[in-house]
Amino acid sequence: MSTRETINGVPVTEEQIDAWAAEADAGYDVQELKRRGRGRPGRGAEPSQVVALRLTAAELAELDARAAREGKSRSEVIREALAASAA
């Protein structure tokens, strides 16, 4: 058994590689793959825009602390703060 290759730190065995090869040889349902889509799911009907934001180390630490307390991502906390300030 070879454990030289890893995915996210988990060793990949020859058996797993053989299983992936057999799956590929059997073919994939292209329509199912298209239905799944790529990337992150959309947040609305239109594509979202990425906006760069510069924060000091202290601001970033505060943002991360709040996000951790609330079980949210940085982006969620920032979007909520923007929505609250616009209201």
Side-chain angles (χ1 to χ4, degrees), residues 24-43:
D25 287 342
Y28 296 103
D29 182 347
V30 175
Q31 293 307 314
E32 176 62 23
L33 292 174
K34 285 183 178 179
R35 228 183 336 271
R36 285 191 215 160
R38 292 181 53 191
R40 295 180 182 181
R43 294 189 54 246

Side-chain angles (χ1 to χ4, degrees), residues 3-13 16-17 20:
T3 58
R4 286 184 238 150
E5 300 295 328
T6 63
I7 296 177
N8 295 327
V10 178
V12 177
T13 65
Q16 184 62 59
I17 293 170
W20 289 330

Side-chain angles (χ1 to χ4, degrees), residues 13-78:
T13 65
E14 291 296 324
E15 292 80 16
Q16 184 62 59
I17 293 170
D18 291 341
W20 289 330
E23 180 184 11
D25 287 342
Y28 296 103
D29 182 347
V30 175
Q31 293 307 314
E32 176 62 23
L33 292 174
K34 285 183 178 179
R35 228 183 336 271
R36 285 191 215 160
R38 292 181 53 191
R40 295 180 182 181
R43 294 189 54 246
E46 297 180 12
S48 297
Q49 298 294 312
V50 175
V51 177
L53 175 68
R54 293 181 188 266
L55 299 173
T56 65
E59 291 167 334
L60 188 56
E62 290 175 19
L63 174 62
D64 287 341
R66 178 175 171 184
R69 271 193 320 271
E70 297 179 8
K72 298 176 182 175
S73 69
R74 287 176 177 172
S75 294
E76 288 174 306
V77 172
I78 292 169

